[in-house]
Amino acid sequence: MALLEVEGLTKSFGGLTAVSNVSFQVKEHEIIAVIGPNGAGKTTLFNMITGVISPTSGSIKFKDKKISGRKPHRISAHGINRTFQNIELFGDMSVIETVMVGGDVLGKTGFVQSVLGSPNVKKDETAIRQVAKEKLALVNLQEKDSNIASELSYGQQRLVEIARALANDPSLLLLDEPAAGLNASETAQLVQLMLKLRKSGITILFVEHDMDTVMNVADRIVVLEFGKKIAEGTPTEIQNNPKVISAYLGEEID
């Protein structure tokens, strides 16, 4: 059974169709890349999967339950989380505080208990802080936990975002251009992290323009052009697909 099923997904904005009748599946423990030129509909696809926007038509199932059209926090609670194309950190918050924000869904304390200062609030905070420490260790930033997140290097900020997305223990992690702006060493570390996450049981769906990263880490690749899926297959199959070469890869993949 597929972990994620996207079937006939379409999103129109007025007279513009950003995603048109896209279908694919993601199985447990796979790393699936979505590639395509700018404007191909990749981020719109991610936004629909994570509930940022609702599809015009089609359906999204996660663990065989329909999630299309649900609110983002509901989808996150089901076990899907993401990073964004542009880094989104919180002003003067420390690294560990930033990651703890992603773990709020794990808390059991209700709003009234929080306002009244229930002892359970402290228990929740302690538990979420421990999870945040574990996720920072996973991305090798445990020694930066007290630093201001926005003052870290660009590559480290990317890792903080990934740690934050992992804080609620998702079974499916969506990464939107995780290698963007990284140098060669940071990109190599990212590839190793993705492989480590897959080994730990996390399934990954990611958008990426860096073809070396895609070819080194993806089990399968979905290719979009003008909102439509034009190909799907293994890295080798995609490398040799005439439609993909013509539409996107060209000589870049040689």
Side-chain angles (χ1 to χ4, degrees), residues 130-179:
Q130 181 58 40
V131 170
K133 287 183 177 180
E134 293 171 2
K135 303 313 176 186
L136 284 172
L138 192 61
V139 300
N140 295 319
L141 284 181
Q142 62 270 29
E143 295 181 359
K144 301 286 187 180
D145 61 352
S146 61
N147 290 55
I148 300 301
S150 58
E151 294 178 356
L152 297 182
S153 70
Y154 188 86
Q156 290 173 332
Q157 289 184 38
R158 283 281 182 195
L159 294 177
V160 171
E161 276 209 315
I162 293 174
R164 181 175 61 189
L166 292 170
N168 71 336
D169 289 326
S171 48
L172 176 63
L173 178 64
L174 277 64
L175 304 175
D176 196 348
E177 296 193 30

Side-chain angles (χ1 to χ4, degrees), residues 1 32-33 53 57-58 62 142 167 196 222 243:
M1 183 181 73
I32 306 299
I53 57 176
S57 61
F62 181 64
Q142 62 270 29
K196 182 165 68 172
V222 175
K243 286 185 179 179

